Amino acid sequence: MSELYVARHPAAAWRRLEDEVIVMAAQESWLFTLNEVAAEIWEAADGRTPLASIVRDRICEKFEVDFEQAYRDAEELLRALAERGIVLLSETPLEAGAP
Amino acid sequence: MTGSDAPSRLLIEIAGLGVALNCEDEEFARLVAGAYSSFLALPGTPVACEFAVHIAPPRGTDPDEDVCVSLADGKWQIRRGDFEAEFDPRARQGWVRYTANPYSVDTVLRIVHTLLAADAGGFLVHAAGAILNGRGLILAGASGAGKTTMCRLAPPDAVLLSDEICYVMRHGEEYLVHGTPFAGELGIPGVKVSAPAAVLYLLARGNQHRLVPLKPAEAARQLLRCILFFAEDAELAGKVFNSACEFVRRTPVYRLEFRPEPGVWELLR
């Protein structure tokens, strides 16, 4: 499995509100609500930390879930968000917030 | 300058922000002054921006064109089939070319205030508003959600701020809800008063009267759908997004399910 890196798109406005995160894709004004697990991934998406590390350190420990399943779910979510233009995915590290 | 001491110059105050209209046509100025009589400014009201108003057909627009608000060279360009306007937010000045139609004035005022509010940490929201026992209540919803119905059902001791659009502005650590002259189906302008915004209700017709508390993220999503915003500008959109999020963080938000009966107001006391 190749390494995967994720960064929040710099044009996406976002706020944590209690245990959820709301994200607005500025260009289309789409709104997304990320649940507690997705919010953890979102906040850790600095473009430099491998997704596997994010899942292992912030999801598996906190939510007591299996790594393989959690990683598959996270990747599926992030690919969907990347299609909407609010995250960037790469097999090499990304500058934080780089378009 | 007051709203009435020069017939060709009007200062219309909404949410404490004065928009001056310097009309070249006195008859048109009188028409507009009549339509906004309860929102003409008192002496000392600060002027947020000035517009030179020309009565002339807009140039090169399709009469059926939808409103378009864009930023070019630091100036807002606002166009619709029946008017065009330019607003320089740094100089706080602009101009408008209207057909002689008071509804065009209403649209330009709404748009200009969405720009002013966004910069000031506030927003305009599709909502009925009322003051009840000193508390500002915001009853938000899209067309058909029940804003006008709720106003018709309001008890006599409720001060109605608007049946269509309320203005929410941040003042220090609190938000105030202000009345606006923008009328809905009641056809009656709101009143120029304000109160601390105590609760936001998102209207939903139902079979019973019921309040359902909303988590802040869901509240923000639903509030953002009700906020007036026309500008094609990511920076300003981000400001409105942040204002909505901050508002729901500080203000209780409920979905108000109701039947169209006066008893619903007992839930809001």
Side-chain angles (χ1 to χ4, degrees), chain B residues 35-107:
Chain B
Y36 293 92
S37 57
S38 56
F39 282 82
L40 295 177
L42 297 170
T45 300
V47 178
C49 57
E50 296 248 358
F51 283 88
V53 178
H54 310 289
I55 304 301
R59 296 163 297 193
T61 57
D62 175 346
D64 297 324
E65 184 180 337
D66 280 340
V67 69
C68 174
V69 183
S70 57
L71 193 61
D73 299 326
K75 295 177 182 174
W76 291 104
Q77 312 291 327
I78 309 168
R79 296 165 63 96
R80 199 174 68 176
D82 55 342
F83 69 83
E84 60 176 324
E86 184 177 276
F87 173 47
D88 182 341
R90 284 167 299 188
R92 297 269 167 173
Q93 289 188 329
W95 53 261
V96 191
R97 289 166 64 94
Y98 286 121
T99 55
N101 176 354
Y103 291 113
S104 304
V105 177
D106 209 76
T107 304

Side-chain angles (χ1 to χ4, degrees), chain B:
Chain B
M1 178 66 71
T2 70
S4 59
D5 60 359
S8 60
R9 176 182 162 85
L10 305 170
L11 184 55
I12 299 170
E13 179 197 357
I14 308 172
L17 298 171
V19 174
L21 303 177
N22 296 306
C23 305
E24 63 182 10
D25 183 303
E26 291 195 8
E27 181 55 35
F28 185 68
R30 274 192 286 275
L31 195 67
V32 174
Y36 293 92
S37 57
S38 56
F39 282 82
L40 295 177
L42 297 170
T45 300
V47 178
C49 57
E50 296 248 358
F51 283 88
V53 178
H54 310 289
I55 304 301
R59 296 163 297 193
T61 57
D62 175 346
D64 297 324
E65 184 180 337
D66 280 340
V67 69
C68 174
V69 183
S70 57
L71 193 61
D73 299 326
K75 295 177 182 174
W76 291 104
Q77 312 291 327
I78 309 168
R79 296 165 63 96
R80 199 174 68 176
D82 55 342
F83 69 83
E84 60 176 324
E86 184 177 276
F87 173 47
D88 182 341
R90 284 167 299 188
R92 297 269 167 173
Q93 289 188 329
W95 53 261
V96 191
R97 289 166 64 94
Y98 286 121
T99 55
N101 176 354
Y103 291 113
S104 304
V105 177
D106 209 76
T107 304
V108 170
L109 282 175
R110 291 182 193 206
I111 294 169
V112 167
H113 275 284
T114 63
L115 302 174
L116 296 174
D119 260 338
F123 50 84
L124 278 76
V125 56
H126 281 291
I131 303 174
L132 194 61
N133 301 327
R135 302 162 67 237
L137 312 180
I138 303 169
L139 304 134
S143 180
K147 299 186 293 293
T148 301
T149 301
M150 287 298 291
C151 288
R152 287 196 178 112
L153 297 171
D157 59 331
V159 176
L160 295 179
L161 298 171
S162 172
D163 74 326
E164 177 69 5
I165 293 174
C166 288
Y167 209 131
V168 176
M169 285 288 271
R170 186 167 180 173
H171 292 262
E173 292 303 303
E174 71 173 356
Y175 285 90
L176 297 184
V177 54
H178 298 260
T180 72
F182 308 127
E185 285 178 38
L186 283 182
I188 302 169
V191 291
K192 195 170 72 172
V193 294
S194 64
V199 193
L200 167 64
Y201 299 107
L202 294 151
L203 297 175
R205 293 182 186 268
N207 294 321
Q208 58 180 334
H209 304 322
R210 190 163 74 117
L211 288 175
V212 181
L214 295 183
K215 293 180 72 173
E218 179 59 19
R221 276 173 68 95
Q222 293 201 31
L223 171 60
L224 281 159
R225 290 195 192 114
C226 297
I227 287 178
L228 278 78
F229 191 71
F230 305 92
E232 295 167 6
D233 183 77
E235 184 183 346
L236 213 61
K239 287 183 179 179
V240 173
F241 173 84
N242 278 321
S243 295
C245 290
E246 192 59 26
F247 179 79
V248 301
R249 204 176 67 77
R250 293 167 177 266
T251 312
V253 183
Y254 297 88
R255 184 171 70 245
L256 169 58
E257 298 174 2
F258 73 102
R259 290 190 311 268
E261 297 169 354
V264 63
W265 278 86
E266 293 307 312
L267 274 184
L268 314 188
R269 288 194 180 274

